[in-house]
Amino acid sequence: METKPYLIFKQNGLLWGVEVACVREIFFLPELTPIAEAPPDIVGAIDLRGSILPVMDLNLRFGYLWHEYCLTDSAIVIEWQEVRVAIIVNEVTEVKQIPEDAITPQLSYGRDNSEASHHFVAGFARCEADMIMLLNLDRLIRYSPDKTEAEIPFSASIAGSGALSGKVEGQNLQLEIDPKLLAENANFLSQPRVFCPNALPEEKAIFRERADNLRLLGDRKNSEAINLSLAVVLLNDEYFGINLEVVREFTDIRQVTPVPCTPDRIIGNMNLRGEILTLVDIRNVLSMSADTKSLSKAIVVEIEDLVAGIVVDEILNIIYLNVAELGTIPAALTSENREYLLGTTIYKEKIIAVLNLHKLLKQGGIVVDEEV
């Protein structure tokens, strides 16, 4: 069964997913610059390494009331049919491989015009105990409500606030919404935009610093350099980056069968939808202590004729950067470690060591050539 990777994020307590192939970058929300005459849900723009990028507030796009932003909010840069926009989300959680048969394209509510309820939802995915709504990027970016829909900024926040009442007249349900709440929402949409007016001075300084960092990175950018997409993983509380070009999928580890007469770096085999996958631990090659007592996640990589599952403690995120932005390898790393690294970058104020996985697997003694 074919699977597809989705970046999962939280918004208003709900889980949403967006195709990883459309994600270009993720970072914490910076200060936004207001834009005159922009649609109500486009709440500002950022200077992203020399390119002006519009930023969409998903709350307003979905029809909810506006909420103050906080330092833990993130921006996901997405690209759809040559349109690039950043969306504000509460929290980016992980990347999940979702099989096609786990996705329900539409829900039937028994109503004549059910499609109107799915403006921005491409489907509903079942992932263990969670239900994830998948974004329809074409509708999210291009859809404009007709005049009837645009007249009243009806909000799920209003609907759940106890401010909504109704009565039946003939065949129609007449809704009555608290005018005070509507006035507050309309007041926000009509006022000149000021980014986080109620934030503390120290919070405003952090937002501004983030915006400055994104802008200043453009001064060092080499327009001909290669973009690099990385999966950020955790090994023994240290951050590492793995090039997504060699990543086939992410998976949970279940029912590992030990392989006799193999080095300690070979954890065992696992059945992955009918394929026997060998799980390997790269920590000893990196001179790190190995702990295989709690195996949970693996990244399935494919390099030339080699397919293996790289055991990791946690898959944290997907990030995108310019190769020119890679920093040098710290001198503190031992010589045998340095040859398996491409460079370093910063993620959440921590250093990420970017792995040269091709060399590590091919020359680091991971591949078992001896016969058993």
Side-chain angles (χ1 to χ4, degrees), residues 95-112:
V95 172
K96 281 185 177 290
Q97 287 284 342
I98 300 180
E100 285 185 350
D101 63 355
I103 298 175
T104 302
Q106 293 284 343
L107 295 181
S108 175
Y109 304 128
R111 300 178 184 178
D112 294 335

Side-chain angles (χ1 to χ4, degrees), residues 56-103:
M56 176 189 296
D57 186 319
L58 282 187
N59 273 340
L60 298 178
R61 187 59 165 151
F62 293 160
Y64 299 157
L65 291 177
W66 177 80
H67 294 288
E68 284 274 6
Y69 306 125
C70 58
L71 293 175
T72 56
D73 289 336
S74 292
I76 303 175
V77 180
I78 57 178
E79 183 171 352
W80 177 257
Q81 298 180 352
E82 300 182 353
V83 177
R84 286 167 61 94
V85 63
I87 58 175
I88 301 173
V89 304
N90 296 145
E91 181 186 357
V92 176
T93 59
E94 61 181 324
V95 172
K96 281 185 177 290
Q97 287 284 342
I98 300 180
E100 285 185 350
D101 63 355
I103 298 175

Side-chain angles (χ1 to χ4, degrees), residues 21-177:
C22 300
V23 176
R24 295 293 172 263
E25 198 164 349
I26 305 168
F27 43 79
F28 281 117
L29 182 66
E31 181 185 62
L32 306 179
T33 300
I35 305 176
E37 300 182 348
D41 56 285
I42 302 298
V43 290
I46 54 175
D47 182 343
L48 184 60
R49 295 185 291 276
S51 298
I52 304 301
L53 187 72
V55 181
M56 176 189 296
D57 186 319
L58 282 187
N59 273 340
L60 298 178
R61 187 59 165 151
F62 293 160
Y64 299 157
L65 291 177
W66 177 80
H67 294 288
E68 284 274 6
Y69 306 125
C70 58
L71 293 175
T72 56
D73 289 336
S74 292
I76 303 175
V77 180
I78 57 178
E79 183 171 352
W80 177 257
Q81 298 180 352
E82 300 182 353
V83 177
R84 286 167 61 94
V85 63
I87 58 175
I88 301 173
V89 304
N90 296 145
E91 181 186 357
V92 176
T93 59
E94 61 181 324
V95 172
K96 281 185 177 290
Q97 287 284 342
I98 300 180
E100 285 185 350
D101 63 355
I103 298 175
T104 302
Q106 293 284 343
L107 295 181
S108 175
Y109 304 128
R111 300 178 184 178
D112 294 335
N113 188 20
S114 60
E115 185 180 355
S117 302
H118 297 85
H119 289 319
F120 309 124
V121 179
F124 304 82
R126 308 181 310 277
C127 292
E128 298 176 352
D130 296 323
M131 185 179 73
I132 300 171
M133 290 175 285
L134 307 179
L135 278 179
N136 183 329
L137 291 182
D138 185 65
R139 297 296 297 267
L140 185 77
I141 292 174
R142 303 187 184 280
Y143 170 76
S144 296
D146 60 29
K147 183 179 180 181
T148 303
E149 293 176 281
E151 284 177 351
I152 301 179
F154 180 73
S155 158
S157 299
I158 294 176
S161 67
L164 178 67
S165 61
K167 58 184 177 180
V168 177
E169 292 186 0
Q171 298 298 319
N172 299 318
L173 175 64
Q174 305 296 321
L175 298 178
E176 297 176 3
I177 305 174

Side-chain angles (χ1 to χ4, degrees), residues 315-333:
I315 302 166
L316 299 172
N317 214 334
I318 300 292
I319 64 173
Y320 296 81
L321 72 156
N322 197 300
V323 171
E325 297 167 12
L326 282 178
T328 57
I329 301 170
L333 293 177

Side-chain angles (χ1 to χ4, degrees), residues 256-264 266-269 278 368 370-372:
V256 178
T257 302
V259 180
C261 304
T262 55
D264 291 341
I266 305 299
I267 303 302
N269 289 337
T278 299
V368 180
E370 63 267 26
E371 294 183 1
V372 178

Side-chain angles (χ1 to χ4, degrees), residues 76-301:
I76 303 175
V77 180
I78 57 178
E79 183 171 352
W80 177 257
Q81 298 180 352
E82 300 182 353
V83 177
R84 286 167 61 94
V85 63
I87 58 175
I88 301 173
V89 304
N90 296 145
E91 181 186 357
V92 176
T93 59
E94 61 181 324
V95 172
K96 281 185 177 290
Q97 287 284 342
I98 300 180
E100 285 185 350
D101 63 355
I103 298 175
T104 302
Q106 293 284 343
L107 295 181
S108 175
Y109 304 128
R111 300 178 184 178
D112 294 335
N113 188 20
S114 60
E115 185 180 355
S117 302
H118 297 85
H119 289 319
F120 309 124
V121 179
F124 304 82
R126 308 181 310 277
C127 292
E128 298 176 352
D130 296 323
M131 185 179 73
I132 300 171
M133 290 175 285
L134 307 179
L135 278 179
N136 183 329
L137 291 182
D138 185 65
R139 297 296 297 267
L140 185 77
I141 292 174
R142 303 187 184 280
Y143 170 76
S144 296
D146 60 29
K147 183 179 180 181
T148 303
E149 293 176 281
E151 284 177 351
I152 301 179
F154 180 73
S155 158
S157 299
I158 294 176
S161 67
L164 178 67
S165 61
K167 58 184 177 180
V168 177
E169 292 186 0
Q171 298 298 319
N172 299 318
L173 175 64
Q174 305 296 321
L175 298 178
E176 297 176 3
I177 305 174
D178 187 337
K180 181 180 179 181
L181 284 177
L182 280 180
E184 290 176 356
N185 203 27
N187 182 60
F188 164 76
L189 296 175
S190 64
Q191 292 298 316
R193 305 291 174 84
V194 177
F195 182 75
C196 286
N198 299 320
L200 299 174
E202 53 267 30
E203 293 174 328
K204 292 182 179 180
I206 294 174
F207 283 125
R208 169 59 64 87
E209 182 181 11
R210 291 174 179 174
D212 290 342
N213 289 339
L214 291 174
R215 174 178 52 81
L216 292 174
L217 283 173
D219 299 336
R220 304 197 303 266
K221 181 179 179 181
N222 179 356
S223 60
E224 297 182 356
I226 301 173
N227 288 326
L228 189 65
S229 52
L230 298 175
V232 181
V233 303
L234 193 66
L235 286 173
N236 291 12
D237 295 326
E238 295 186 28
Y239 287 23
F240 291 89
I242 296 177
N243 192 338
L244 278 182
E245 287 187 356
V246 301
V247 174
R248 201 173 75 179
E249 66 178 280
F250 306 93
T251 184
D252 295 327
I253 296 177
R254 309 182 179 86
Q255 297 180 342
V256 178
T257 302
V259 180
C261 304
T262 55
D264 291 341
R265 61 183 177 271
I266 305 299
I267 303 302
N269 289 337
M270 184 183 78
N271 188 322
L272 182 63
R273 299 187 301 277
E275 177 184 8
I276 302 302
L277 180 71
T278 299
L279 300 175
V280 298
D281 193 340
I282 63 174
R283 283 176 286 196
N284 58 351
V285 181
L286 299 173
S287 301
M288 304 171 70
S289 60
D291 181 10
T292 58
K293 294 180 181 178
S294 57
L295 299 174
S296 60
K297 301 285 185 181
I299 297 182
V300 182
V301 299

